[in-house]
Amino acid sequence: ELQQKVEETEVLKMELQMLETERVRLSLVEEKLWDVLQLLQQLRDLNISKRALGKILLSTLESCRDPQPGKAQLFEVLDTLQQELTACELLHKQPLEQAQSPRSLSNPLVISC
C-alpha cells in the first residue's frame, strides 16, 4: 500500500511538471501574440494598406509552410510574423513617437478590417 502511494505521488509530480511546462509554453505564446498585436496596431495607426498587410501575412505563412523540427508551429508562425512586421519599412520611416502614440480606443488592440 505504501508502494502504491509512492507511485501515485510520482505520477502526480510528473503531471504537475507537465502542467508547469505547458503553462510556460502558453505564457511565451501569449507574450509573442501580444508583441504581434502591438506591431499590427502601430501599422494600423500608420494607415498601412490592406494589400501590404496581406503580403506580410502571406509571406509569413509561406515561410512557415514546412514546420521546423523541434519548434512549435504556432510559436514559429507568431515569431516569423513578428519578424516580418518589425521589418516593415513603414515602421522605420515614421518618427518613433508617432509610431508609438496611443490611440483613444476602448481596446487599443482591436484592428478593423
Side-chain angles (χ1 to χ4, degrees), residues 33-44:
L33 184 58
W34 182 256
D35 292 343
V36 166
L37 290 174
Q38 286 180 324
L39 288 168
L40 287 170
Q41 180 64 45
Q42 288 177 10
L43 290 172
R44 178 178 173 242

Side-chain angles (χ1 to χ4, degrees), residues 47-86:
N47 295 321
I48 188 172
S49 72
K50 293 176 185 177
R51 183 179 184 145
L53 190 55
K55 284 182 180 182
I56 292 171
L57 183 58
L58 288 175
S59 172
T60 298
L61 294 174
E62 183 66 31
S63 64
C64 296
R65 179 177 287 190
D66 300 321
Q68 297 177 2
K71 195 171 186 184
Q73 188 172 10
L74 174 63
F75 193 79
E76 181 183 351
V77 171
L78 286 173
D79 191 44
T80 304
L81 181 57
Q82 181 188 20
Q83 292 170 13
E84 292 276 343
L85 291 171
T86 302

Side-chain angles (χ1 to χ4, degrees), residues 5-110:
K5 291 289 184 188
V6 168
E7 290 173 3
E8 288 176 2
T9 302
E10 288 300 315
V11 168
L12 288 173
K13 282 181 182 179
M14 286 175 34
E15 288 178 359
L16 182 62
Q17 186 177 10
M18 288 173 36
L19 285 173
E20 181 62 20
T21 301
E22 184 65 12
R23 186 194 66 77
V24 169
R25 187 188 71 80
L26 288 174
S27 178
L28 291 172
V29 168
E30 180 183 27
E31 287 176 25
K32 188 62 68 174
L33 184 58
W34 182 256
D35 292 343
V36 166
L37 290 174
Q38 286 180 324
L39 288 168
L40 287 170
Q41 180 64 45
Q42 288 177 10
L43 290 172
R44 178 178 173 242
D45 291 346
L46 297 172
N47 295 321
I48 188 172
S49 72
K50 293 176 185 177
R51 183 179 184 145
L53 190 55
K55 284 182 180 182
I56 292 171
L57 183 58
L58 288 175
S59 172
T60 298
L61 294 174
E62 183 66 31
S63 64
C64 296
R65 179 177 287 190
D66 300 321
Q68 297 177 2
K71 195 171 186 184
Q73 188 172 10
L74 174 63
F75 193 79
E76 181 183 351
V77 171
L78 286 173
D79 191 44
T80 304
L81 181 57
Q82 181 188 20
Q83 292 170 13
E84 292 276 343
L85 291 171
T86 302
C88 183
E89 291 178 14
L90 261 178
L91 286 176
H92 302 292
K93 288 182 181 177
Q94 299 295 321
L96 189 59
E97 307 84 43
Q98 184 179 354
Q100 293 180 343
S101 66
R103 292 191 42 108
S104 59
L105 296 173
S106 58
N107 184 351
L109 295 178
V110 173

